[in-house]
Amino acid sequence: MSRPTVTISIDSKKLREGLNELRGRGLHRNMTNVVNKLTFDGTAALRDEMKRVFKNPTNWTLNSFKVIKARPFRTDAAIATRDLAPGYDRGSAAARYLSPDVLGDQRGMKPSEHALSELSGKQFWVPGRDAPLDANGNIKASEIGRILSHLSLHDDPGKNLSDQAAARLQRRTQRRGPKNANGQRGSYFVGRAENGHAVGVYKYSGTPGKILEIIRFVPVLPRYHKILPAQQIVSQVIERRARHHVEQEIAIRARKKAEGKS
């Protein structure tokens, strides 16, 4: 599958007019300054919009867009998700995470969904009614880690539930409630419908006979509506701020010239 990309160009009619004016004055370095300032303006606008449209966005989300500055005497600045910006090609792919909201699309599978795919039948998951959520409304990462551990699905075998721990949990489970009919080890198990279709991951609670729904499997995710039209947001900022930065650079150059500085 091709890697998703979210890259935003820095361009507008007023910016082109301003750059042509600077070029006519021989202020090529100042042209670079203008486009770089506008990329920072655009990134700030995206951050403000994310605060408005997302519920309790994490710092990771708010900082997912990074500036790709133009080099001296060039004007090819851009804004990109941080996994595409130089020096940020690490960690989770911000483009894959944000593209449904920016482009209006279905998201790809999460790593945990890939890990669960053999048991779930390659389904996606959404939080179940009893899922422990963090302040941002997401299932706690520690809970997902425990699910993968108890189901022996961790990439790192050392993080999977040991045979000794599994036997101890199985004895405790048998004492306090129904057996795990699906054969999984530990407190978590995959629930299945009468036809064998996987419906979610459940957890034995401390109350006899009570089962908690932690995640629910869904065969197809709905398409996301575009709620963060990133290119449109940045283009509006550029159109509004371009003239300001051009005039600012002309004034800076004039002041330096008057002071005898190059």
Side-chain angles (χ1 to χ4, degrees), residues 14-66:
K14 286 188 178 179
L15 175 58
R16 290 192 296 272
E17 291 173 351
L19 293 178
N20 286 335
E21 181 179 349
L22 292 173
R23 187 180 292 108
R25 292 170 179 258
L27 305 182
H28 296 91
R29 185 181 293 275
N30 300 84
M31 293 168 61
T32 303
N33 293 342
V34 167
V35 295
N36 285 339
K37 288 178 179 179
L38 286 169
T39 56
F40 284 104
D41 288 347
T43 304
L46 289 171
R47 190 179 297 113
D48 289 342
E49 185 66 6
M50 283 190 277
K51 290 178 181 178
R52 191 184 71 82
V53 301
F54 295 146
K55 182 180 179 181
N56 299 323
T58 63
N59 287 332
W60 187 92
T61 298
L62 294 175
N63 295 319
S64 54
F65 285 102
K66 294 293 180 180

Side-chain angles (χ1 to χ4, degrees), residues 29-137:
R29 185 181 293 275
N30 300 84
M31 293 168 61
T32 303
N33 293 342
V34 167
V35 295
N36 285 339
K37 288 178 179 179
L38 286 169
T39 56
F40 284 104
D41 288 347
T43 304
L46 289 171
R47 190 179 297 113
D48 289 342
E49 185 66 6
M50 283 190 277
K51 290 178 181 178
R52 191 184 71 82
V53 301
F54 295 146
K55 182 180 179 181
N56 299 323
T58 63
N59 287 332
W60 187 92
T61 298
L62 294 175
N63 295 319
S64 54
F65 285 102
K66 294 293 180 180
V67 167
I68 303 177
K69 294 173 66 175
R71 295 182 179 181
F73 304 104
R74 297 178 63 93
T75 59
D76 53 354
I79 298 172
T81 44
R82 64 181 176 181
D83 46 304
L84 300 178
Y88 287 91
D89 191 14
R90 60 179 184 270
S92 299
R96 185 174 294 110
Y97 172 75
L98 283 174
S99 61
D101 297 308
V102 175
L103 304 176
D105 201 358
Q106 286 183 320
R107 66 165 172 82
M109 268 196 162
K110 301 175 182 178
S112 58
E113 289 168 334
H114 279 292
L116 287 162
S117 61
E118 287 191 18
L119 294 177
S120 71
K122 295 184 167 65
Q123 296 185 85
F124 299 94
W125 64 256
V126 295
R129 62 177 176 272
D130 304 307
L133 305 178
D134 61 21
N136 301 297

